[in-house]
Amino acid sequence: MHADRLTNHFTIGQASRHSGVSAKAIRHYESLGLMPAVPRRGSYRLYQPEHIDAIRLIRKAQCLGFTLAELRQLGTVDCTPDWPRFVQALSHKRESIADEIKRLQALDAELAALQATLPGLIANEPDCVALTTELAKA
């Protein structure tokens, strides 16, 4: 990372490049209180390396399936992660994913059954209305 050599601060454009997150998203994270307050020089925000780390952590958590609203619940008053609550949230997220996997596996089984049945129905019921009626019964 290359910060302003005199102050060890980054502009929002630099913060965006270093974190891989758009300036708009960074401003949104700030407005939600997901990251520590960013000092200003005049009208310019001056991001420090810990802000870049916070931005990257937010983005990683989003990639793992956490919403910004969920992340707001996992922070402390000073906008640092509450790590014990974060570990607990990871367990809950994994349980949700396991439930979703079961739901998707059941859906896949239903689709496979339909895929196996449909060619025979088409052969026996070439009429669209009759075929639709048969499918609705299944």
Side-chain angles (χ1 to χ4, degrees), residues 6-25:
L6 299 176
T7 61
N8 200 33
H9 292 113
F10 301 90
T11 64
I12 195 163
Q14 291 169 322
S16 175
R17 282 189 298 281
H18 289 297
S19 66
V21 175
S22 72
K24 181 178 179 181

mmCIF file of all heavy atoms in Angstrom, residues 6-25:
data_model
loop_
_atom_site.group_PDB
_atom_site.id
_atom_site.type_symbol
_atom_site.label_atom_id
_atom_site.label_comp_id
_atom_site.label_asym_id
_atom_site.label_seq_id
_atom_site.Cartn_x
_atom_site.Cartn_y
_atom_site.Cartn_z
ATOM 1 N N LEU A 6 3.831 11.545 4.052
ATOM 2 C CA LEU A 6 3.960 12.421 5.204
ATOM 3 C C LEU A 6 2.956 12.104 6.295
ATOM 4 O O LEU A 6 3.215 12.322 7.465
ATOM 5 C CB LEU A 6 3.813 13.889 4.768
ATOM 6 C CG LEU A 6 4.858 14.392 3.767
ATOM 7 C CD1 LEU A 6 4.533 15.808 3.345
ATOM 8 C CD2 LEU A 6 6.252 14.307 4.371
ATOM 9 N N THR A 7 1.801 11.599 5.917
ATOM 10 C CA THR A 7 0.734 11.445 6.903
ATOM 11 C C THR A 7 0.251 10.015 7.099
ATOM 12 O O THR A 7 -0.516 9.756 8.008
ATOM 13 C CB THR A 7 -0.484 12.291 6.487
ATOM 14 O OG1 THR A 7 -0.930 11.819 5.216
ATOM 15 C CG2 THR A 7 -0.140 13.760 6.433
ATOM 16 N N ASN A 8 0.652 9.074 6.214
ATOM 17 C CA ASN A 8 0.188 7.703 6.291
ATOM 18 C C ASN A 8 -1.328 7.618 6.136
ATOM 19 O O ASN A 8 -1.983 6.827 6.788
ATOM 20 C CB ASN A 8 0.655 7.027 7.590
ATOM 21 C CG ASN A 8 0.607 5.513 7.474
ATOM 22 O OD1 ASN A 8 0.832 4.971 6.399
ATOM 23 N ND2 ASN A 8 0.324 4.848 8.567
ATOM 24 N N HIS A 9 -1.868 8.484 5.282
ATOM 25 C CA HIS A 9 -3.296 8.498 4.991
ATOM 26 C C HIS A 9 -3.529 8.233 3.507
ATOM 27 O O HIS A 9 -2.650 8.471 2.684
ATOM 28 C CB HIS A 9 -3.923 9.854 5.351
ATOM 29 C CG HIS A 9 -3.951 10.115 6.814
ATOM 30 N ND1 HIS A 9 -3.199 11.104 7.414
ATOM 31 C CD2 HIS A 9 -4.638 9.521 7.809
ATOM 32 C CE1 HIS A 9 -3.418 11.108 8.705
ATOM 33 N NE2 HIS A 9 -4.289 10.142 8.976
ATOM 34 N N PHE A 10 -4.737 7.766 3.204
ATOM 35 C CA PHE A 10 -5.134 7.500 1.833
ATOM 36 C C PHE A 10 -6.355 8.349 1.495
ATOM 37 O O PHE A 10 -7.215 8.561 2.339
ATOM 38 C CB PHE A 10 -5.548 6.033 1.657
ATOM 39 C CG PHE A 10 -4.481 5.038 2.007
ATOM 40 C CD1 PHE A 10 -4.369 4.554 3.301
ATOM 41 C CD2 PHE A 10 -3.609 4.578 1.046
ATOM 42 C CE1 PHE A 10 -3.402 3.627 3.631
ATOM 43 C CE2 PHE A 10 -2.634 3.644 1.362
ATOM 44 C CZ PHE A 10 -2.527 3.169 2.659
ATOM 45 N N THR A 11 -6.445 8.784 0.252
ATOM 46 C CA THR A 11 -7.681 9.412 -0.215
ATOM 47 C C THR A 11 -8.694 8.290 -0.445
ATOM 48 O O THR A 11 -8.336 7.100 -0.445
ATOM 49 C CB THR A 11 -7.455 10.166 -1.537
ATOM 50 O OG1 THR A 11 -7.101 9.196 -2.547
ATOM 51 C CG2 THR A 11 -6.369 11.226 -1.406
ATOM 52 N N ILE A 12 -9.934 8.647 -0.706
ATOM 53 C CA ILE A 12 -10.935 7.608 -0.943
ATOM 54 C C ILE A 12 -10.621 6.834 -2.217
ATOM 55 O O ILE A 12 -10.838 5.623 -2.288
ATOM 56 C CB ILE A 12 -12.377 8.179 -0.950
ATOM 57 C CG1 ILE A 12 -13.387 7.023 -0.826
ATOM 58 C CG2 ILE A 12 -12.625 9.031 -2.180
ATOM 59 C CD1 ILE A 12 -14.765 7.437 -0.424
ATOM 60 N N GLY A 13 -10.063 7.502 -3.218
ATOM 61 C CA GLY A 13 -9.665 6.806 -4.441
ATOM 62 C C GLY A 13 -8.576 5.783 -4.174
ATOM 63 O O GLY A 13 -8.614 4.656 -4.676
ATOM 64 N N GLN A 14 -7.586 6.162 -3.364
ATOM 65 C CA GLN A 14 -6.518 5.237 -3.003
ATOM 66 C C GLN A 14 -7.070 4.084 -2.157
ATOM 67 O O GLN A 14 -6.709 2.929 -2.359
ATOM 68 C CB GLN A 14 -5.415 5.966 -2.241
ATOM 69 C CG GLN A 14 -4.627 6.948 -3.083
ATOM 70 C CD GLN A 14 -3.733 7.837 -2.222
ATOM 71 O OE1 GLN A 14 -4.112 8.255 -1.123
ATOM 72 N NE2 GLN A 14 -2.545 8.128 -2.741
ATOM 73 N N ALA A 15 -7.943 4.424 -1.224
ATOM 74 C CA ALA A 15 -8.552 3.389 -0.384
ATOM 75 C C ALA A 15 -9.338 2.407 -1.243
ATOM 76 O O ALA A 15 -9.296 1.190 -1.019
ATOM 77 C CB ALA A 15 -9.463 4.028 0.668
ATOM 78 N N SER A 16 -10.024 2.927 -2.233
ATOM 79 C CA SER A 16 -10.787 2.087 -3.145
ATOM 80 C C SER A 16 -9.864 1.152 -3.910
ATOM 81 O O SER A 16 -10.120 -0.055 -4.006
ATOM 82 C CB SER A 16 -11.584 2.973 -4.110
ATOM 83 O OG SER A 16 -12.237 2.193 -5.072
ATOM 84 N N ARG A 17 -8.784 1.677 -4.451
ATOM 85 C CA ARG A 17 -7.839 0.840 -5.206
ATOM 86 C C ARG A 17 -7.198 -0.228 -4.324
ATOM 87 O O ARG A 17 -7.053 -1.375 -4.724
ATOM 88 C CB ARG A 17 -6.763 1.713 -5.861
ATOM 89 C CG ARG A 17 -7.244 2.418 -7.112
ATOM 90 C CD ARG A 17 -6.106 3.088 -7.869
ATOM 91 N NE ARG A 17 -5.440 4.138 -7.107
ATOM 92 C CZ ARG A 17 -5.905 5.375 -6.947
ATOM 93 N NH1 ARG A 17 -7.061 5.711 -7.495
ATOM 94 N NH2 ARG A 17 -5.235 6.270 -6.261
ATOM 95 N N HIS A 18 -6.808 0.136 -3.124
ATOM 96 C CA HIS A 18 -6.122 -0.810 -2.238
ATOM 97 C C HIS A 18 -7.054 -1.878 -1.678
ATOM 98 O O HIS A 18 -6.615 -2.981 -1.372
ATOM 99 C CB HIS A 18 -5.426 -0.078 -1.091
ATOM 100 C CG HIS A 18 -4.221 0.694 -1.523
ATOM 101 N ND1 HIS A 18 -3.107 0.098 -2.067
ATOM 102 C CD2 HIS A 18 -3.961 2.010 -1.505
ATOM 103 C CE1 HIS A 18 -2.217 1.020 -2.361
ATOM 104 N NE2 HIS A 18 -2.708 2.196 -2.035
ATOM 105 N N SER A 19 -8.330 -1.542 -1.523
ATOM 106 C CA SER A 19 -9.270 -2.501 -0.939
ATOM 107 C C SER A 19 -10.049 -3.276 -1.993
ATOM 108 O O SER A 19 -10.640 -4.311 -1.684
ATOM 109 C CB SER A 19 -10.257 -1.768 -0.021
ATOM 110 O OG SER A 19 -11.076 -0.891 -0.783
ATOM 111 N N GLY A 20 -10.078 -2.754 -3.231
ATOM 112 C CA GLY A 20 -10.873 -3.395 -4.272
ATOM 113 C C GLY A 20 -12.361 -3.133 -4.127
ATOM 114 O O GLY A 20 -13.184 -3.830 -4.700
ATOM 115 N N VAL A 21 -12.708 -2.104 -3.369
ATOM 116 C CA VAL A 21 -14.114 -1.748 -3.103
ATOM 117 C C VAL A 21 -14.346 -0.350 -3.655
ATOM 118 O O VAL A 21 -13.499 0.527 -3.507
ATOM 119 C CB VAL A 21 -14.393 -1.809 -1.581
ATOM 120 C CG1 VAL A 21 -15.793 -1.338 -1.258
ATOM 121 C CG2 VAL A 21 -14.178 -3.228 -1.063
ATOM 122 N N SER A 22 -15.488 -0.140 -4.275
ATOM 123 C CA SER A 22 -15.758 1.167 -4.867
ATOM 124 C C SER A 22 -15.854 2.261 -3.807
ATOM 125 O O SER A 22 -16.198 1.992 -2.644
ATOM 126 C CB SER A 22 -17.061 1.135 -5.674
ATOM 127 O OG SER A 22 -18.175 1.060 -4.797
ATOM 128 N N ALA A 23 -15.572 3.473 -4.226
ATOM 129 C CA ALA A 23 -15.682 4.615 -3.319
ATOM 130 C C ALA A 23 -17.118 4.749 -2.806
ATOM 131 O O ALA A 23 -17.337 5.062 -1.635
ATOM 132 C CB ALA A 23 -15.237 5.899 -4.029
ATOM 133 N N LYS A 24 -18.075 4.480 -3.667
ATOM 134 C CA LYS A 24 -19.485 4.554 -3.258
ATOM 135 C C LYS A 24 -19.771 3.560 -2.137
ATOM 136 O O LYS A 24 -20.438 3.889 -1.147
ATOM 137 C CB LYS A 24 -20.387 4.277 -4.457
ATOM 138 C CG LYS A 24 -21.858 4.359 -4.146
ATOM 139 C CD LYS A 24 -22.700 4.115 -5.389
ATOM 140 C CE LYS A 24 -24.173 4.178 -5.055
ATOM 141 N NZ LYS A 24 -25.012 3.919 -6.234
ATOM 142 N N ALA A 25 -19.249 2.331 -2.267
ATOM 143 C CA ALA A 25 -19.465 1.314 -1.232
ATOM 144 C C ALA A 25 -18.770 1.715 0.064
ATOM 145 O O ALA A 25 -19.333 1.536 1.151
ATOM 146 C CB ALA A 25 -18.959 -0.047 -1.708
#
